Amino acid sequence: MKTLKKLFLLGMAVLMITVSLAGCGQPNTVEGLVVSNEQFTEKEDIEGATQTEQVSAGEDVYASVYFIESPKGMEYTGKWYINGEEVKSDPQETTTDMSGAIVYQLEADSVKEGTLKFEVVYSDEVLSSKELTIK
């Protein structure tokens, strides 16, 4: 009977550890994403910003991304596409522990009329993306 009780407790402990570890591995750490001609660096600003449908050609474009569950030093890549062609790949690391913003910039000389797509990538997996028009 003692052995059965010990096995039961061991099984419960393994189950609890498995459940807690499964909850920690949240695959998508992007909580907010805004692409616009204006940059946002604070969570409240990113959450409160209205995502526009277009940005202006010949002006800098910013992708303001708010991450959660991301230890300091995690590397995420911002990929910019215009008319389906990749124009910039920008890897950056988080500078704060567990949550914080990264702002990716596409310089004005690259911003030509057409369709703009921005992707946040981690380990070859697209976590979030936005597509809008450049006029």
Side-chain angles (χ1 to χ4, degrees):
M1 190 66 166
K2 266 187 170 181
T3 305
L4 187 57
K5 187 176 181 180
K6 286 182 182 179
L7 284 174
F8 176 74
L9 290 175
L10 178 63
M12 289 301 291
V14 168
L15 179 63
M16 296 292 278
I17 290 171
T18 302
V19 168
S20 69
L21 288 177
C24 292
Q26 180 177 356
N28 192 343
T29 56
V30 175
E31 186 170 85
L33 167 60
V34 177
V35 178
S36 71
N37 290 116
E38 185 179 349
Q39 63 179 314
F40 304 97
T41 58
E42 300 297 322
K43 177 183 180 182
E44 297 77 24
D45 296 334
I46 294 170
E47 289 176 342
T50 301
Q51 177 61 61
T52 61
E53 293 183 19
Q54 71 181 37
V55 291
S56 300
E59 292 185 25
D60 290 345
V61 177
Y62 302 94
S64 304
V65 187
Y66 192 79
F67 294 94
I68 57 170
E69 302 294 327
S70 296
K72 184 176 181 178
M74 289 287 290
E75 185 176 272
Y76 297 96
T77 301
K79 292 191 175 192
W80 298 93
Y81 300 87
I82 296 180
N83 298 325
E85 182 179 325
E86 185 175 327
V87 293
K88 184 176 182 182
S89 181
D90 183 11
Q92 292 191 41
E93 293 183 355
T94 54
T95 58
T96 55
D97 195 30
M98 299 313 289
S99 63
I102 294 178
V103 179
Y104 298 92
Q105 179 181 358
L106 183 61
E107 294 76 15
D109 60 338
S110 297
V111 183
K112 312 270 189 255
E113 286 191 12
T115 302
L116 174 71
K117 183 176 182 180
F118 176 78
E119 295 178 338
V120 180
V121 180
Y122 175 75
S123 288
D124 296 325
E125 181 180 342
V126 177
L127 300 179
S128 189
S129 68
K130 295 279 183 188
E131 192 169 306
L132 46 150
T133 304
I134 305 170
K135 288 195 175 194

